[in-house]
Amino acid sequence: MESENKELKRYYTIKEVAQMINVNESTLRFWETEFPYLRPKTLGNKVRQYQEKDIEQIRLIHNLVKVRGFKLAAAQKIISQNRHGAEKSAEILQNLLAIREELKELKRSLDMFV
């Protein structure tokens, strides 16, 4: 039940997003300064509220910078010149990582029978 409520959430805190993406909160704040389209909603007391669209942007940046090893300037250029291609690449990577986890789980299950 709790996971269902989590999926229905409209806003996420910076701590929740950092854990989802596996980066530090300070990294997210820094990326906000470097990527102008990454602007989560902020409350009067500067509390950030991330929506799904923000998280997708962060996943794209994470894929380019942390996974593929691009410098920030190169990631900015890729996103500005070919956002669709970069998004598709990030989506494919996410799918492959999910498949890898499923295969690892399957292997663990099969190892129990050996």
Side-chain angles (χ1 to χ4, degrees):
M1 177 96 176
E2 185 176 320
S3 65
E4 286 179 19
N5 291 340
K6 199 80 158 159
E7 291 175 4
L8 297 175
K9 248 180 122 163
R10 188 165 180 192
Y11 294 103
Y12 299 86
T13 65
I14 192 169
K15 183 176 182 175
E16 291 171 320
V17 175
Q19 289 173 345
M20 276 185 228
I21 309 296
N22 198 26
V23 295
N24 295 324
E25 294 173 29
S26 59
T27 300
L28 293 177
R29 286 189 289 271
F30 177 69
W31 285 350
E32 288 175 25
T33 65
E34 296 295 313
F35 296 89
Y37 53 83
L38 181 58
R39 294 285 176 248
K41 181 178 176 180
T42 54
L43 299 176
N45 55 359
K46 302 280 185 182
V47 174
R48 290 167 172 81
Q49 293 185 318
Y50 294 87
Q51 293 179 306
E52 282 297 326
K53 66 182 177 80
D54 300 315
I55 295 169
E56 289 306 314
Q57 296 298 320
I58 293 166
R59 286 186 199 282
L60 176 60
I61 295 165
H62 180 266
N63 175 47
L64 292 171
V65 175
K66 298 289 187 182
V67 176
R68 296 177 65 194
F70 286 103
K71 302 239 184 260
L72 289 177
Q76 291 166 337
K77 186 175 180 180
I78 289 168
I79 291 170
S80 68
Q81 291 180 346
N82 187 9
R83 175 179 287 282
H84 179 71
E87 288 172 347
K88 198 67 172 164
S89 175
E91 180 183 331
I92 290 168
L93 179 64
Q94 285 299 105
N95 289 337
L96 288 172
L97 291 172
I99 291 169
R100 181 173 72 180
E101 288 306 312
E102 288 178 28
L103 289 172
K104 284 180 179 179
E105 184 60 37
L106 183 60
K107 183 182 182 312
R108 282 191 288 271
S109 296
L110 290 172
D111 286 345
M112 287 196 282
F113 292 114
V114 177

